[in-house]
Amino acid sequence: MQIAGRLMKVFLTRRIPQEGMKILSATGVCEVSQWDSDEPAPRAELLKGVQGAHGLLCMLSDKIDAEVLDAAGPNLKVISTFSVGYDHLAMDEIKKRGIRVGYTPDVLTDATAELAVALLLSTARRLPEGVEEVKNGGWSSWKPLWLCGHGLSDSTVGIIGLGRIGMAIAQRLKPFGVKRVLYSGRTAKPYAAEVNGEFVPLDTLLSDSDFIVVSCSLTPQTQGLCDKAFFSKMKKSAIFVNISRGAVVNQEDLYEALKNGQIAAAGLDVTTPEPLPTNHPLLTLKNCVVIPHLGSATYSTRGVMSALAAQNLVNGLQGADMPSELTV
């Protein structure tokens, strides 16, 4: 890992939990520099920071494209992303230059699935509206139909993308008394049998589901998947939840569907852009719950992610197997 007695330069685009920093410092052969903030590095600082780096540890919000790779120069051997998603990485360019990539799958599955269920329940049962009514004096007395929402018991849940996270969501929803779990995607999954999952065409999933959870990857095929036609096929009483990537949803079409009563409500952990501007039309709707990309936000999960991202980087620099290497 040392080159002729010299330390190998590693650039971190953000502060990371101590679990990762300890791994990087324990090697004794990394010269670590970082953008010392919880906020993203401005583009100019990113381009400056990567100069001459052998390794780069980045976040989902850092666009790693040809310009960044050029700025880094030929020393760059490893990119480790503090995320399971990698649509911020120009993979074609990265592969062309023979740079290895590490990522952090699996370790955030449970936390993200828990968050998806929390978001689904808070949207379906109108919890943010209820909290607001308590605070603003709107809670007068018990009323038979006031703030009624939708329950999971005897419902049909549709999951778009039954990968690790989609499966973990299905497993957590089943004990609520869900009657059917439908899923769509490129292929049927043998493990879906564990949740009695039914592989159906997307149109069937849309028309039959009471709750729809999007947990697929962002690809050219899924970009803008959830559009006007998509929402028009859903039940008027259906709840839509997205914990995948903001760009999977056409937000203008979602706004119209929610405003016009085409669907009942939506819960979003991801948006385009992030952060969503405070004057965005979606934020004017009571039946839209937006949270700030909290999928993996537990202390323990972020600590494990930090350690894995650091270990990926260290192993990659040493030419060893990474715990989680991305090969696409």
Side-chain angles (χ1 to χ4, degrees), residues 237-315:
S237 57
I239 308 290
F240 174 81
V241 171
N242 183 22
I243 53 99
S244 59
R245 287 288 174 268
V248 172
V249 176
N250 180 316
Q251 289 175 174
E252 290 72 27
D253 290 352
L254 174 60
Y255 171 77
E256 291 299 328
L258 289 167
K259 188 176 68 128
N260 299 329
Q262 180 68 58
I263 64 173
L268 309 174
D269 185 40
V270 287
T271 60
T272 306
E274 293 184 1
L276 196 65
T278 54
N279 63 351
H280 195 281
L282 283 172
L283 300 181
T284 66
L285 300 172
K286 285 187 176 179
N287 58 343
C288 187
V289 177
V290 182
I291 55 175
H293 206 146
L294 299 177
S296 63
T298 67
Y299 291 112
S300 60
T301 298
R302 292 285 169 85
V304 174
M305 286 175 74
S306 181
L308 178 54
Q311 201 63 60
N312 279 335
L313 192 67
V314 169
N315 286 25

Side-chain angles (χ1 to χ4, degrees), residues 44-59:
E45 295 295 334
L46 172 61
L47 294 171
K48 189 169 127 192
V50 298
Q51 285 176 17
H54 298 90
L56 170 64
L57 196 156
C58 65
M59 309 288 145

Side-chain angles (χ1 to χ4, degrees), residues 17-96:
Q18 281 307 304
E19 290 89 335
M21 294 304 290
K22 284 175 185 166
I23 289 170
L24 293 175
S25 59
T27 64
V29 285
C30 281
E31 179 193 332
V32 178
S33 62
Q34 70 178 152
W35 175 248
D36 192 17
S37 171
D38 293 326
E39 297 298 325
R43 185 72 174 176
E45 295 295 334
L46 172 61
L47 294 171
K48 189 169 127 192
V50 298
Q51 285 176 17
H54 298 90
L56 170 64
L57 196 156
C58 65
M59 309 288 145
L60 193 63
S61 50
D62 300 313
K63 189 179 178 189
I64 308 302
D65 54 14
E67 185 184 26
V68 173
L69 302 176
D70 287 341
N75 283 345
L76 189 61
K77 297 289 181 280
V78 188
I79 296 170
S80 177
T81 183
F82 195 106
S83 65
V84 63
Y86 52 89
D87 45 277
H88 58 303
L89 305 177
M91 289 303 295
D92 288 346
E93 276 292 329
I94 290 166
K95 282 199 291 192
K96 198 191 300 177

Side-chain angles (χ1 to χ4, degrees), residues 2-248:
Q2 254 175 310
I3 301 177
R6 287 187 293 114
L7 295 175
M8 296 188 82
K9 182 181 174 183
V10 167
F11 180 63
L12 279 56
T13 65
R14 201 84 52 87
R15 289 182 195 141
I16 63 170
Q18 281 307 304
E19 290 89 335
M21 294 304 290
K22 284 175 185 166
I23 289 170
L24 293 175
S25 59
T27 64
V29 285
C30 281
E31 179 193 332
V32 178
S33 62
Q34 70 178 152
W35 175 248
D36 192 17
S37 171
D38 293 326
E39 297 298 325
R43 185 72 174 176
E45 295 295 334
L46 172 61
L47 294 171
K48 189 169 127 192
V50 298
Q51 285 176 17
H54 298 90
L56 170 64
L57 196 156
C58 65
M59 309 288 145
L60 193 63
S61 50
D62 300 313
K63 189 179 178 189
I64 308 302
D65 54 14
E67 185 184 26
V68 173
L69 302 176
D70 287 341
N75 283 345
L76 189 61
K77 297 289 181 280
V78 188
I79 296 170
S80 177
T81 183
F82 195 106
S83 65
V84 63
Y86 52 89
D87 45 277
H88 58 303
L89 305 177
M91 289 303 295
D92 288 346
E93 276 292 329
I94 290 166
K95 282 199 291 192
K96 198 191 300 177
R97 299 171 195 231
I99 298 167
R100 296 173 70 188
V101 176
Y103 70 137
T104 60
D106 301 323
V107 296
L108 48 70
T109 298
D110 288 341
T112 305
E114 286 172 9
L115 191 281
V117 173
L119 181 57
L120 187 153
L121 288 169
S122 63
T123 303
R125 295 299 302 271
R126 303 172 67 179
L127 299 193
E129 282 183 78
V131 170
E132 189 53 40
E133 291 297 302
V134 172
K135 288 180 176 178
N136 68 20
W139 182 15
S140 56
S141 67
W142 188 90
K143 298 186 276 289
L145 291 174
W146 187 57
L147 284 177
C148 283
H150 299 273
L152 278 161
S153 185
D154 280 333
S155 69
T156 296
V157 174
I159 297 177
I160 298 174
L162 197 74
R164 285 181 293 264
I165 293 171
M167 187 64 181
I169 293 167
Q171 287 166 333
R172 283 160 176 75
L173 289 177
K174 284 294 277 185
F176 283 91
V178 169
K179 187 168 62 178
R180 295 173 73 201
V181 172
L182 311 181
Y183 72 99
S184 66
R186 283 176 303 213
T187 56
K189 311 290 185 191
Y191 52 75
E194 294 172 34
V195 291
N196 297 320
E198 303 170 40
F199 184 56
V200 297
L202 180 60
D203 281 2
T204 304
L205 183 148
L206 296 178
S207 63
D208 290 8
S209 297
D210 301 298
F211 300 89
I212 292 175
V213 182
V214 182
S215 58
C216 59
S217 301
L218 177 61
T219 65
Q221 289 73 39
T222 60
Q223 176 127 13
L225 171 73
C226 307
D227 59 7
K228 184 176 181 177
F230 178 102
F231 297 120
S232 72
K233 292 168 187 168
M234 287 172 60
K235 294 181 180 180
K236 284 191 170 2
S237 57
I239 308 290
F240 174 81
V241 171
N242 183 22
I243 53 99
S244 59
R245 287 288 174 268
V248 172

